[in-house]
Amino acid sequence: MLDSSSSEDTGGESDLEPQRKPDASSSAEKRETGPPGSQQLRSATPGSLAGKSTKVNSATDEEQEKRKRESIQKEEEERKIKLQIYVFVLRCIAYPFNAKQPTDMSRRQQKVNKQQLQAVKERFLAFLNGETQIVADEAFCNAVRSYYEGFLKSERISRMVQSGGCSANDFREVFKKNIERRVRSLPEIDGLSKETVLSSWIAKYDAIYRGDEDLWRQPQRAHLSAVSELILSKEQLYEMFQQILNIRKFEHQLLYNACQLDSMDEQAAQIRRELDGRLQLAEKIAKERKYPKFVSADMEALYVEELRSSVNLLMANLESLPVSKGGPDFKQKLKRSTIVIMEVQGLKSVAPDRMVYCTMEVEGEEKLQTDQVEASRPQWGTQGDFTTTHPLPSVKVKLFLESTRVLALDDKELGKVILNPTTNGPKHTEFHRMIVPKNSQDTELKIKLAVRMDKPPNMKHSGYLYAMGQRVWKRWKKRYFVLVQVSQYTFAMCSYREKKAEPQELMQLEGYTVDCCEPRPGLQGGRVFFNVLKEGDLVMFACDDEQERVLWVQAMYRATGQSYKPILHPKNKTPNCRGGNQKLTSPISLDPSQRQAVEKLISASPCQFDHAALFTILQKHTLQHRMNDSFSCLGWFSPGQVFVLDEYCARYGVRGCHRHLSYLKELMDYSENNALVDPMLLHYSYAFCASHVHGNRPDGIGTVTMEEKVQFEAIRSRLIALLENQITHFRYCFPFGRPDGALKATLSLQERVLMKDITTPVPPEDMKKLVQRCLEQAAQINYSQLIEYAKIKVEHQVPSEKRLEDMMRLGELCIEVLQQNEEHHSEAFSCWPELMAEHAEKFLSLYRADMEAALQVQSIDSWNSFPLFQLFNNFLRTDPHLCNGMFHKHLQDLYIPLVVRYIDLMELAIAQSIHRSFQKETWQPVNNGSATSEDLFWKLNTLQMFVMDLHWPEPEFAKHLEQRLKLMASDMMEACVKRRVNLHKLQQRQSWCCTEGTEFNFDRKAEMRLTDSGNSTTPKLMF
């Protein structure tokens, strides 16, 4: 534990100074370099080369050995610091008087790790493949498929899981938010409410998530990290901080015994000594004027007042702790005195068949009686319980013979015994000789019994002592003394007489100092001596046993609160004289050096340490332990950790600003390393530090050191950059809006950090410009990440069809990104809706460049790009901020010529198709017309449906398209009717004049040739 060979702290970075590893490359360069001409010298003298090489190697080995020793020594120093911190933590846990474990903290959820994420993916995939027994409708399956594709397979969720900030509750909330939107869009069903549908879907989700076995099933004995969110016992807190500070079990046991953590009296005395030391330190600072450097010289006097008031507050907290029910009258309410009567021996004067019994009483209490037994076997085992206020009560036990005479009024007393038990008396049964009446034959009558007295909490020690003083106990006489604790700071030495509840004489120990001393000549009685001294008032005490003196000195040392440690007699073998219940032998054997190291750790005065630096180390390791446990803490400490840190700060005077500044540094370190940290934590700590530095603390103006101000300004600059980066990367720092409300809290914190002081708000335009700049950068980042995710390469060698297909897939992803921004992040930016619209326009403008490049390489006769327009138009026309925006208008301008050209060509194609159909018309009835008319109506209807599916957003052009289709239909139908009439007339002429057949055939062939010579660029119908 206390030597370098036993140190286990081989991992982690140093708390005091980063370790420097030997640089092999620099050593090699040193070996290779040399003065000019050295190469020729080495070539000429090979022997000298070997000699110099040997010297260089030996020097390098010595340097490495030196660095190794320095590293070991440094690790050992860090190990000692951790042990010293652990001593202070042990005392905070053993006897807290300032803080309690909070019960109002939010319960943190269990983390989801990589293995669990993979298992969840497999379970949802199995459901989608129909490999589970869960029955679901098509709507639920579609919702699960969207959740699986968009959320579970997202790379952002993988990053979130890797950062340790994702819980099963986050998975569930994202699914719930997704299905709420879907269920709201479903039509109403009679007898089935949407709330019922939501509950059913959530239950099915839970069944899929759990699978065949519960992922979060805990072992039979829950690990400490699994119960860290609960209120922990002292033993659990000890175990937790052993893990935090890397303390081994036997080291903890040694320190536990040496610090006497099981003795509440010793811990209270330790606190009184610490507070007295802090008051002395404050007086020394004021006297020597050794102040820290403050932002204002006027704060020096205020600093001393702060030190004094903090100690006075701790004293008041300690004084408020209950001691016992004993009052200022020093009465001792003994909760229970127990008398156990076992048997009587030596009863010979009574016939064996006669009945005997015993009575027992304590002075002033009710008399109790045992059962009656035959005199041949006087055995009972009866127990009687009494309460008394007498430190030296009188206990009477009598033996009676039952009288058989009719006129007898009382039973005959055979013997009695009178005892004066004490709390330090024997607890086992003993034989006591009974006092018998005169002329009794039972001269050897004995009774076996035990008398046990419980010690009240405020009786710290008691026993018989010889005493003599100048003001009290003026005669050297043996008396019964009781050390009474009236309050946390008031103790009294009281002497009592038998059967008296009030002390005969008393002396308050405030201001006295106890120590062992040599025997005083001329005093008869007592073998070992000790005294208490106060400004010339000396009281001498003596007892007959060395161990009894040790116990009295230990108890009075705790009561006086003196900083001087009494020196016991050399015969005493106890390693520490401050423990009343200390075991003299330890189960772990220590050599003298280890014992000395333990004594040094526990006897070190807390006032000699820089607790600000020690607390920084403690908080750093505590946060590291918390971030690595099984809970998604987001930087929040557990209730037990908060309790210990609060108690440490209050007890050892760690300034609140320093605590929060170091906390902010650690949290920002984790945030910069892509760990999820709740911005509310950053906000709380920053607000505290800002109010302190700016002098607007709720409890009044306090002292501000230059170090605190410099650290605050550095943290402020660092925090501004960190928050700006998080806002810029909001999709990746807060994926799918998780943690809930984190992005909104980040924006609020950014506005708070931009304030130059605590009262002057940030101009709205400044905050708006910052958010605008972040969102512009976010658009570029999001699009580049989307291109990388889609694995799309914009190259000229890529075929035009592939490029259009890639643009279609990329467009779907872009729309998905914008929908996710609206669903999960728009609420956070609700104060600047126009900025979110600009962000979306910027994002789409980046897509527009790639889209135009892909459309330019398409064939002029290709109409495959219309689905791309429909995809974006259907999304944009429903968005109030993006409808008819820059991208939307550009999209319309891009597709207007295509739509017009397409309709023109379709009109010509329909006309030519109708013309050919009339040439082949058989005039057989089809539905309500002929084959040609039905084909015409179907083509016109299809063209009309195509135009309607475009949902053209600009009203004038949409009206133009509608009007043109109407005119086209009217012209087509009119031409169809005319053509039908003309053909009918032509057929009539053929039947009238058969001699004109040759001329008719010629006209028909000419007409067919004219039809075939039409436009060869007629588009394929999109039917």
Side-chain angles (χ1 to χ4, degrees), residues 696-713:
N696 291 327
R697 287 168 48 178
D699 55 348
I701 299 177
T703 58
V704 183
T705 65
M706 286 298 299
E707 181 183 3
E708 290 172 347
K709 186 174 181 180
V710 170
Q711 290 185 4
F712 174 76
E713 292 299 331

Side-chain angles (χ1 to χ4, degrees), residues 260 262-263 455 551 554 558 578-583:
Q260 304 172 57
D262 55 346
S263 172
K455 185 171 70 172
L551 296 178
Q554 289 172 346
R558 289 191 291 264
R578 291 188 289 177
N581 299 324
Q582 183 180 359
K583 298 180 181 179

Side-chain angles (χ1 to χ4, degrees), residues 25 44 75 118 133 142 150 163 235 239 287 352 370 494 499 546 548 555 574 589 609 624 647 848 893 897 977:
S25 61
E75 290 177 359
Q118 184 61 32
Q133 302 297 323
N142 292 336
S163 67
E235 289 71 19
E239 183 180 355
K287 183 178 180 180
T370 65
C494 307
K499 300 185 291 186
E546 175 66 28
E548 182 67 16
T574 54
S589 60
F609 292 91
Q624 181 180 0
E647 183 68 23
R848 184 179 72 181
D893 296 340
V977 171

Side-chain angles (χ1 to χ4, degrees), residues 619-620 622-624 626-627 633-637 659-686 715 718-719 722-723 726 749:
Q619 185 170 245
K620 174 183 177 181
T622 305
L623 183 59
Q624 181 180 0
R626 179 59 169 165
M627 296 295 285
C633 67
L634 304 179
W636 291 89
F637 289 119
R659 174 183 181 178
H660 286 280
L661 285 173
S662 60
Y663 193 27
L664 278 172
K665 289 180 182 177
E666 297 300 329
L667 291 176
M668 287 192 294
D669 287 342
Y670 280 102
S671 293
E672 290 169 354
N673 291 324
N674 300 323
L676 279 179
V677 173
D678 193 343
M680 292 302 299
L681 268 179
L682 299 171
H683 202 150
Y684 292 153
S685 294
Y686 180 84
I715 286 178
R718 185 179 170 190
L719 191 56
L722 173 65
L723 297 177
Q726 288 183 345
L749 176 58

Side-chain angles (χ1 to χ4, degrees), residues 120-138:
V120 171
K121 288 182 180 179
E122 294 174 355
R123 290 172 183 175
F124 276 86
L125 183 60
F127 169 78
L128 294 175
N129 293 335
E131 300 173 3
T132 63
Q133 302 297 323
I134 301 174
V135 180
D137 55 9
E138 183 180 357

Side-chain angles (χ1 to χ4, degrees), residues 736-749:
F736 298 93
R738 312 308 299 175
D740 189 24
L743 177 56
K744 189 174 184 179
T746 301
L747 290 167
S748 175
L749 176 58

